[in-house]
Amino acid sequence: MSDATEANGTVGAAEAAGSGQSGAGADGRHVRVVLVDDHRMFRTGVQAEIGQTAETGVEVVGEAADVDQAVAVITATRPEVVLLDVHLPGGGGVEVLRRCAALTADAERPVRFLALSVSDAAEDVIGVIRGGARGYVTKTITGTDLIDSIFRVQEGDAVFSPRLAGFVLDAFASTDAPPVDEDLDRLTQREREVLRLIARGYAYKEIAKQLFISVKTVESHVSAVLRKLQLSNRHELTRWATARRLV
């Protein structure tokens, strides 16, 4: 079954749920959530972790794997909270936020966004917050903390993983635009993710597991990064990333 089919099928289930077939969690709370991530295995894992509605109060009413699917599912289901990956085919999480701006601004039924990403890079955090997200947590978060974060965002709070809030405070306190790094701009979003993990000392197998991709794909990304940055090996790559404070 394709991701698109999965997403459309979930919309149908969500419409049925919206007619009153779902209940609250053990503590009486309830929130409708759409899960946006381009890795099916990750979506399945999150669904299993938080989607037991009778216990958690979290009802996953839709899923999407790219920008177009996300906009369609969010518009159809009107969830209270969207768990949004930063790096998506079709323009990334920022593009989803841009195209859903009217739903975010709806005073009566606002759709609120919580970024959930493997990346903890300052530019990713700042980009989605400027785009309208209410918070940003990394994929190292526990299921219990993620559920708590979802309900906090539903209530209008801003939620961040430790240390990420500092990026946002610094960015909004400064009136200076961040400098453009032409070398970094040559890399795709996925290549940047692999770059940071390599620079942090992760082995290829660990990176593959973290990003839900194959070891061969990791090797291909590393080769592309080295070629684009005109570097020879991962040690030079680590020094390059450290000098730019990307680690």
Side-chain angles (χ1 to χ4, degrees):
M1 182 182 294
S2 68
D3 284 337
T5 303
E6 286 179 351
N8 291 336
T10 308
V11 171
E15 290 171 344
S19 65
Q21 296 180 12
S22 60
D27 58 2
R29 298 187 299 178
H30 180 256
V31 59
R32 299 171 69 252
V33 171
V34 163
L35 177 58
V36 181
D37 193 285
D38 61 337
H39 295 107
R40 184 186 303 178
M41 287 179 61
F42 180 77
R43 296 199 311 270
T44 300
V46 173
Q47 167 81 306
E49 186 76 20
I50 71 173
Q52 306 301 316
T53 309
E55 298 176 7
T56 66
V58 177
E59 181 187 4
V60 179
V61 299
E63 297 181 13
D66 60 33
V67 170
D68 288 341
Q69 287 180 23
V71 174
V73 172
I74 293 165
T75 302
T77 60
R78 293 297 296 265
E80 283 89 29
V81 177
V82 177
L83 289 180
L84 180 68
D85 193 11
V86 175
H87 303 145
L88 293 167
V94 172
E95 179 64 12
V96 176
L97 287 161
R98 185 187 70 79
R99 291 169 60 178
C100 292
L103 300 179
T104 306
D106 189 325
E108 294 185 1
R109 295 177 58 200
V111 176
R112 296 188 168 104
F113 288 80
L114 173 62
L116 175 62
S117 176
V118 69
S119 171
D120 59 1
E123 65 266 27
D124 289 335
V125 179
I126 294 165
V128 294
I129 297 303
R130 287 193 187 280
R134 292 294 304 174
Y136 193 116
V137 295
T138 62
K139 290 181 177 179
T140 57
I141 193 170
T142 66
T144 300
D145 287 342
L146 180 57
I147 292 167
D148 179 64
S149 297
I150 290 169
F151 279 110
R152 288 176 60 191
V153 167
Q154 179 194 26
E155 294 165 1
D157 289 347
V159 180
F160 297 93
S161 289
R163 97 183 183 87
L164 300 188
F167 295 156
V168 179
L169 292 173
D170 290 344
F172 284 90
S174 173
T175 57
D176 298 328
V180 175
D181 189 324
E182 294 182 359
D183 289 332
L184 190 61
D185 284 348
R186 294 191 187 101
L187 306 182
T188 66
Q189 292 286 2
R190 178 62 81 199
E191 288 167 353
R192 294 185 192 190
E193 290 178 337
V194 172
L195 163 65
R196 292 188 184 96
L197 293 173
I198 284 287
R200 291 172 184 171
Y202 283 72
Y204 285 2
K205 287 185 178 179
E206 294 172 323
I207 295 172
K209 183 178 180 180
Q210 184 104 310
L211 300 181
F212 297 93
I213 57 179
S214 69
V215 173
K216 186 175 181 180
T217 301
V218 174
E219 293 172 349
S220 297
H221 285 314
V222 172
S223 296
V225 170
L226 292 174
R227 183 181 68 254
K228 290 179 180 181
L229 300 181
Q230 298 182 355
L231 301 174
S232 301
N233 52 56
R234 64 181 297 163
H235 300 295
E236 291 183 2
L237 188 152
T238 299
R239 287 197 295 271
W240 188 92
T242 302
R244 286 162 174 76
R245 300 181 179 179
L246 299 177
V247 181

